[in-house]
Amino acid sequence: MEPYIQLKEIVKVFPPDKVALNKVSMDIRAGEIHSIIGENGAGKSTLMKVLFGLEKANEGETFIDGKKVNISTPQEAVRLGIGMVHQEFMLIGEYTVIENIVLGDEPTRHGLLDLSASRAKLEKIMREFKFDIPLDAKIRDISIAAQQKVEIVKLLFRDVKTLILDEPTAVLAPQEVDELFVLLNQIRSQGKTIIFISHKLNEVLAISDRITVMRNGQYIWTKDNQGLTKADLANAMVGRSVMLSVEKAPAHPGEVRMEVQHLTMQDQNLAHKKHLDDVSFTLRGGEILGVAGVEGNGQYELVQAVMGLMQAEGRILVDGTDISQMSVSERRRRIAYVPQDRKQSGSSQNESILMNSIMTHHYVNPKILGKWGLLRQKECRALAKKIIEGYQVSCQGPDMNIGSLSGGNQQKVIIGREFELDSKILVVDQPVRGLDVGSIEYIHRRIVEKRDAGDAILLVSADLDELFNLSDRMIVMYNGKIAMEKNIEDTTKEEVGAYMLGAGGDEGEK
């Protein structure tokens, strides 16, 4: 079959000398679902941004239907039939579904906005692909899964032939992933082409016709999805054998280290809504308590309340001491914390690895505190080197700027810093989001080691595979409440997914 899209010898260099794409050539066939996988920094997203006109290649050529094209802007890409759904949705919450879809391509009549013709076309698309999204609902009032469908409808409305989806399942429950895959197969059956970027290898195997692997900015191979396994893909991505599941012995929970009692937080924008609604649970030493939920159901606010970054009613006890009125710095003397946003909350991007390594340590770690509160420079540098070596941070040394590291290496610095604190309670929020399989394997192993050392770990993740791999117990949050609490061996991904969507029972299960 002749290729529909051809990328030939694509080179992309980011100043001053970072080679993101090194003579990458690949082809996409019309009417296929083609997945592109690779470690963080492998170049897959950069390659697609070149195809979509968001990045300009330094060298190389692009062909569509055998004709050489120059795609310099996303508008040009859409005109040529290529659209992209980004991991972060480009929607305006105060606008309706139909207003978001036509935004940038607004139909007018006598100089005034006229949605009637657009509505007829959209209703036809809705019927054809079995969408059930109310066109006049505001974006803020529909689910994350529905918002993703709106992004896809935006492209179908513009008659694109190729849809690029970047990590489309990152915030979906299992049932929503199944629905998305049904939709993608329907879109393909209409002759459309789908390029699927994901780090979830089981999903790649479930949806793809062909799979391309990239590594370190280079093309490795493209193969038909016949007889391939997760191990095949992981090994090709990393260039070595990778353990895809965490080996861990049964947990031996000890004493209660943290107790959350009746935590409640009001939504300041909506009087009828609570971010947290009477949330209570215990966390014991020597166990990992997983927290599941579709994004926006209170998991973020729970972590922020525990760490003192947002105010909530109720009590939080650590080793029997009420910390509810303590400051953030006082809580950090008791709790190690890995935030979900490594760039904004977890690090100072303009500072060195050394400076990032000693954050929090600078007032709680007696080893690096000298007389009169002055830091011991030798011990600070020793801590940074210990983190670099012990957590396998790929860098040029402690004085290297942390912002110049890959996402996986930045996360290793943050994980190392927090795990080296003398804290027996760890709050870990989305620890491997957006990371490659090699980094995921390493970080998961270190989390289990902390559990086995007797630490109490609260693990929040949007990835059910991660939660089922690591957790000993799990709670599911829905609409700010705990909808389910079970030992991991007593539940399934399907049951957890049902509770995540509010279908597991009216009152939840404790």
XYZ file of all heavy atoms in Angstrom, residues 354 357-358 362 367-369 375-385 398:
154
model
N 22.000 20.787 42.558
C 22.443 20.935 43.946
C 21.413 21.698 44.763
O 21.002 21.249 45.846
C 23.793 21.652 43.985
C 24.315 22.075 45.370
C 24.530 20.862 46.251
C 25.595 22.888 45.231
N 18.283 19.752 45.265
C 18.464 18.579 46.118
C 18.342 18.911 47.598
O 17.937 18.069 48.406
C 19.828 17.931 45.862
O 19.917 17.427 44.542
N 18.696 20.137 47.977
C 18.711 20.477 49.404
C 17.440 21.186 49.857
O 17.312 21.524 51.040
C 19.947 21.332 49.761
C 19.880 22.695 49.070
C 21.232 20.583 49.413
C 20.962 23.661 49.534
N 17.188 21.867 53.875
C 17.919 23.017 54.418
C 17.389 23.467 55.771
O 18.057 24.246 56.459
C 17.894 24.186 53.413
C 16.565 24.869 53.277
N 15.539 24.324 52.559
C 16.095 26.039 53.770
C 14.484 25.127 52.597
N 14.793 26.176 53.330
N 22.159 17.046 59.191
C 23.466 16.752 58.610
C 24.008 17.924 57.794
O 25.224 18.079 57.659
C 23.383 15.506 57.722
C 23.091 14.226 58.490
C 23.006 13.040 57.540
C 22.678 11.753 58.284
N 22.541 10.598 57.360
N 23.113 18.726 57.215
C 23.604 19.824 56.370
C 23.456 21.186 57.044
O 23.783 22.202 56.455
C 22.907 19.832 54.992
C 21.423 20.175 55.117
C 23.071 18.499 54.289
C 20.752 20.382 53.775
N 22.945 21.198 58.274
C 22.800 22.450 59.011
C 23.988 22.640 59.954
O 24.254 21.808 60.816
C 21.495 22.453 59.815
C 20.203 22.568 59.012
C 18.997 22.332 59.905
C 20.110 23.928 58.349
N 24.403 26.634 56.144
C 24.489 25.331 55.495
C 25.942 24.885 55.351
O 26.830 25.691 55.053
C 23.834 25.389 54.112
C 22.330 25.680 54.093
C 21.842 25.795 52.645
C 21.559 24.600 54.810
N 26.150 23.593 55.535
C 27.474 23.003 55.344
C 27.612 22.633 53.871
O 27.000 21.692 53.384
C 27.632 21.769 56.214
C 27.586 22.057 57.704
C 27.538 20.775 58.504
N 27.642 21.029 59.932
C 27.293 20.161 60.875
N 26.807 18.983 60.521
N 27.421 20.466 62.152
N 28.430 23.401 53.160
C 28.518 23.250 51.707
C 28.984 21.856 51.302
O 28.489 21.276 50.325
C 29.462 24.314 51.137
C 28.965 25.736 51.320
C 27.619 25.968 50.654
O 27.384 25.518 49.526
N 26.715 26.656 51.340
N 29.929 21.295 52.067
C 30.434 19.969 51.734
C 29.333 18.925 51.843
O 29.185 18.060 50.961
C 31.588 19.615 52.655
C 32.243 18.268 52.356
C 33.422 18.010 53.286
C 34.058 16.658 53.002
N 35.204 16.396 53.928
N 28.529 19.005 52.907
C 27.445 18.041 53.105
C 26.331 18.251 52.084
O 25.686 17.290 51.648
C 26.896 18.147 54.529
C 27.758 17.494 55.595
C 29.038 18.267 55.895
O 29.131 19.437 55.467
O 29.939 17.711 56.555
N 26.058 19.496 51.692
C 25.050 19.778 50.660
C 25.444 19.109 49.341
O 24.620 18.471 48.679
C 24.895 21.289 50.459
S 24.097 22.156 51.820
N 26.712 19.274 48.986
C 27.178 18.692 47.725
C 27.181 17.165 47.807
O 26.850 16.476 46.825
C 28.572 19.231 47.397
C 29.101 18.850 46.025
C 30.280 19.722 45.641
N 29.860 21.086 45.374
C 29.434 21.519 44.198
N 29.365 20.677 43.163
N 29.076 22.764 44.030
N 27.487 16.631 48.990
C 27.473 15.176 49.166
C 26.060 14.629 49.011
O 25.856 13.554 48.423
C 28.037 14.810 50.539
N 25.055 15.361 49.530
C 23.663 14.937 49.378
C 23.259 14.941 47.909
O 22.629 13.985 47.423
C 22.738 15.862 50.175
C 21.230 15.612 50.013
C 20.847 14.206 50.494
C 20.416 16.668 50.760
N 23.630 16.000 47.188
C 23.286 16.075 45.763
C 23.934 14.924 44.995
O 23.289 14.294 44.141
C 23.726 17.417 45.187
N 25.191 14.624 45.284
C 25.879 13.525 44.600
C 25.249 12.179 44.955
O 25.148 11.278 44.108
C 27.359 13.534 44.964
C 28.139 14.687 44.329
C 29.617 14.619 44.680
C 30.394 15.725 43.977
N 31.844 15.697 44.344
N 26.285 18.041 39.822
C 25.346 18.763 40.697
C 25.099 20.207 40.297
O 24.069 20.779 40.663
C 26.033 18.697 42.070
C 27.033 17.607 41.978
C 27.459 17.539 40.552
